[in-house]
Amino acid sequence: MRTRSFKDENGGILYLVATPIGNLSDITLRAIEILKSVDKIYAEDTRTSGVLLQHYDIKTKVESYHNFNQEEKTESVIDEIRGGMNIALISDAGLPVISDPGYKIVYRARQEGLRVSTIPGASAGISALIASGIAPMPYTFYGFLDAKTTKRKEELKELKYLKSTLIFYEAPHRIHETLSDMEEVLGDRYCCLARELTKTFEEFITGSISEVNKEEYKGEMVVIVSGYKEEDTTLGDPNQKIDEMISLGYKPNDAIKEVAKMFNLDRKELYKNYTLYKNNKGE
Ligand code: SAM
């Protein structure tokens, strides 16, 4: 399906509007114009967004759209757009949809062939990434890990062998346990904790995960962790590495494929070698 945001006339349009992540000035002129001109704004928290809207003298009607009412509201928002209303979706901070509600509306709007347009601006993860000094590409944006340590470690195991830089969001009351789990599962990698971006107490703390984990941190934070690097670990024996990956949940063939890449070995040769190794161990 092909939808031209500003040429097609198919009902109204859904604008996904970026709002500031701290400093109220971090909003585009276009975002302000659109928030003033649409028929309705859906906001995650109408009181939080009220501060921004008041600051820019935006008088558009605001309704709530958040994690707890999105199931029931999505279809009525879709009906409004289909009926010709222009709608803006904002979240408390940054880009809506990114670790914030909105994906369901966008998904449904695309299914229905309705127009969706993005009004870019600040997002905490990318803002932290570019200032971290850690390789910006490729990157994997993960957002929040699970709140429970067992599930969180499982999630981290899935990420362990990714070579891309990892971007996480975390709440201050969980940062210590999350960094400890990262150290345990990913190894003591280089990282950057970026806190209070664009605000008075903006700060970047860089170092190994264990070093960064020595202090107390308050406020909003993003953790950028460098990706898996072969030289970060003692590569050791490829067969043991395969065993290690299998114990982390990799299927044997996938583990062999990954280790072959890691050690720059021929996959078939490694497979034979690994089978021999297992036989010798009596497994
Ligand atoms: N939609 C937002 C975005 O585009 O970045 C993210 C919303 S998510 C619910 C909130 C999390 O983003 C916070 O817990 C924190 O991890 C991160 N965050 C938001 N603002 C931040 C800031 N000013 N400095 C550092 N991290 C921030």
Side-chain angles (χ1 to χ4, degrees):
M1 196 180 308
R2 198 165 168 176
T3 318
R4 296 176 303 176
S5 299
F6 310 115
K7 296 281 183 205
D8 292 340
E9 294 267 328
N10 179 16
I13 183 165
L14 171 65
Y15 291 108
L16 304 168
V17 182
T19 55
I21 56 169
N23 188 318
L24 279 187
S25 300
D26 291 331
I27 186 162
T28 68
L29 297 174
R30 189 157 167 252
I32 297 169
E33 271 168 32
I34 282 169
L35 291 175
K36 282 186 174 172
S37 69
V38 288
D39 299 301
K40 200 191 276 184
I41 298 171
Y42 279 98
E44 194 186 354
D45 181 326
T46 52
R47 273 176 308 176
T48 306
S49 294
V51 176
L52 175 81
L53 301 177
Q54 204 175 3
H55 184 82
Y56 287 103
D57 199 24
I58 296 164
K59 300 202 165 67
T60 310
K61 183 175 181 208
V62 188
E63 266 184 42
S64 73
Y65 181 85
H66 47 67
N67 281 332
F68 307 104
N69 69 4
Q70 57 180 339
E71 290 298 336
E72 63 194 70
K73 280 230 164 159
T74 300
E75 288 312 313
S76 62
V77 179
I78 291 295
D79 285 343
E80 287 173 342
I81 302 167
R82 200 189 286 115
M85 278 177 78
N86 295 335
I87 301 285
L89 178 72
I90 58 175
S91 64
D92 287 354
L95 293 175
V97 182
I98 296 297
S99 296
D100 270 334
Y103 172 67
K104 287 204 166 95
I105 300 188
V106 180
Y107 174 78
R108 284 287 298 124
R110 289 279 171 225
Q111 273 189 328
E112 297 290 315
L114 297 169
R115 291 177 298 148
V116 179
S117 186
T118 179
I119 309 301
S123 188
I126 290 285
S127 303
L129 175 69
I130 60 165
S132 69
I134 297 177
M137 285 157 327
Y139 69 81
T140 298
F141 174 81
Y142 199 85
F144 290 99
L145 288 158
D146 199 84
K148 297 202 181 72
T149 187
T150 318
K151 182 81 198 306
R152 185 162 58 223
K153 283 186 193 168
E154 278 167 24
E155 292 174 331
L156 287 166
K157 282 176 189 168
E158 295 280 321
L159 301 171
K160 177 166 177 169
Y161 292 105
L162 290 185
K163 290 183 178 171
S164 52
T165 296
L166 306 170
I167 306 178
F168 299 100
Y169 287 164
E170 194 46 284
H173 64 276
R174 261 198 301 270
I175 190 65
H176 277 305
E177 42 181 295
T178 294
L179 287 172
S180 299
D181 289 347
M182 284 178 177
E183 185 191 346
E184 186 183 321
V185 179
L186 304 177
D188 202 6
R189 296 187 190 175
Y190 187 77
C191 73
C192 173
L193 188 150
R195 59 177 286 270
E196 295 292 87
L197 293 168
T198 76
K199 305 182 203 173
T200 316
F201 295 105
E202 177 179 290
E203 191 182 18
F204 297 86
I205 304 98
T206 54
S208 66
I209 295 175
S210 60
E211 277 166 1
V212 170
N213 203 13
K214 281 183 186 145
E215 304 281 327
E216 295 291 322
Y217 305 109
K218 287 191 180 140
E220 297 195 283
M221 55 194 73
V222 179
V223 183
I224 310 287
V225 180
S226 59
Y228 176 79
K229 284 187 196 68
E230 284 149 37
E231 59 271 25
D232 272 356
T233 55
T234 328
L235 273 181
D237 175 19
N239 292 321
Q240 281 173 10
K241 183 63 93 189
I242 295 170
D243 279 343
E244 188 191 323
M245 288 179 74
I246 292 171
S247 73
L248 289 174
Y250 275 70
K251 292 195 183 112
N253 276 342
D254 292 344
I256 291 170
K257 199 165 131 196
E258 282 308 308
V259 172
K261 266 196 260 160
M262 242 179 248
F263 285 78
N264 207 13
L265 296 171
D266 180 80
R267 185 154 55 98
K268 285 190 183 139
E269 283 300 318
L270 181 61
Y271 184 83
K272 275 193 230 159
N273 191 293
Y274 182 66
T275 313
L276 210 65
Y277 160 80
K278 285 304 227 192
N279 289 343
N280 286 344
K281 277 176 74 183
E283 288 176 32

